[in-house]
Amino acid sequence: MSEIERALQTFHSLKVRQIMPPLASMPIVTVDSSIIDVLKLLKTRHHVWVVNNREEMKLEGVIRYLNVVDVLLPPDIHKARLGNISSIFKSILGGADRAEHVMERNVLTIKDDATVLDALTKMKRYKVPLLAIVGENEKLVGEISLRILVNEFIRLMRIGGAQWNQSGSSLHLE
């Protein structure tokens, strides 16, 4: 078995909780947080998790950077058609003033005891680069992104002593 195959095998068997960032470093707001607080976080992040409150941390939704377009547009720009009426109310001028008004409620999650392979499979199936990690009672305990996974795989490659060359095969480092 090659170094890369061993690294991938180890990588796939890791639990997502082993490589998720600390909760304190994650962008989190509560449902009643102001839109301005959400926008401040989105200046430097691609998403913000929305929880019911800081004590229970029950995941309620996510606000992605791309959702800001709906928040900033005036309501008359949105095309009101069946199935799309909610975007009108996500505008600040349409009355949205709290995180709960603009969040996506259907968040893709994965349990904290899932493996990296489980996470990668779910990301591929749903074509998303980010999953919320939840524990009991849908409590937000972390996040896993494709960026985190790539960084972890590269770290494993360095630790294992394998290095990719341009043809894609591995070389053992002495």
Side-chain angles (χ1 to χ4, degrees):
M1 184 182 298
S2 76
E3 292 285 332
I4 291 176
E5 289 169 326
R6 273 195 291 278
L8 270 172
Q9 192 173 42
T10 300
F11 178 63
H12 288 156
S13 65
L14 288 172
K15 300 290 187 188
V16 292
R17 70 172 159 255
Q18 292 175 276
I19 60 174
M20 67 185 186
L23 200 59
S25 70
M26 291 173 43
I28 300 171
V29 297
T30 59
V31 290
D32 59 350
S33 294
S34 75
I35 292 293
I36 299 304
D37 288 342
V38 170
L39 292 175
K40 286 177 184 175
L41 280 171
L42 288 172
K43 282 179 12 180
T44 60
R45 303 302 291 255
H46 293 281
H47 65 283
V48 175
W49 300 110
V50 183
V51 297
N52 63 335
N53 61 57
R54 295 278 180 181
E55 293 76 39
E56 293 175 26
M57 294 294 286
K58 182 179 181 289
L59 181 63
E60 297 288 342
V62 65
I63 303 168
R64 299 176 197 282
Y65 188 69
L66 290 175
N67 298 130
V68 172
V69 171
D70 288 334
V71 171
L72 297 176
L73 278 173
D76 58 330
I77 297 294
H78 294 281
K79 301 280 190 240
R81 58 183 185 272
L82 194 60
N84 193 30
I85 196 79
S86 67
S87 64
I88 291 173
F89 300 111
K90 290 185 177 189
S91 168
I92 291 173
L93 293 175
D97 63 352
R98 294 189 314 268
E100 68 182 324
H101 296 149
V102 299
M103 70 184 184
E104 296 174 30
R105 295 182 188 281
N106 297 322
V107 181
L108 283 173
T109 63
I110 195 159
K111 293 293 185 185
D112 61 349
D113 63 347
T115 65
V116 165
L117 184 59
D118 296 332
L120 285 167
T121 302
K122 195 165 204 174
M123 287 175 175
K124 175 145 177 77
R125 181 180 315 130
Y126 294 102
K127 297 180 172 115
V128 297
L130 178 70
L131 300 170
I133 301 174
V134 294
E136 291 182 33
N137 301 323
E138 297 303 302
K139 178 180 178 177
L140 180 65
V141 296
E143 67 184 7
I144 195 75
S145 69
L146 196 51
R147 174 172 283 137
I148 292 167
L149 292 171
V150 166
N151 287 338
E152 181 62 18
F153 181 68
I154 289 169
R155 188 187 72 77
L156 282 173
M157 292 297 295
R158 279 192 232 127
I159 289 173
Q163 179 181 13
W164 287 62
N165 67 20
Q166 287 185 338
S167 66
S169 62
S170 64
L171 297 173
H172 188 71
L173 298 176
E174 298 296 328

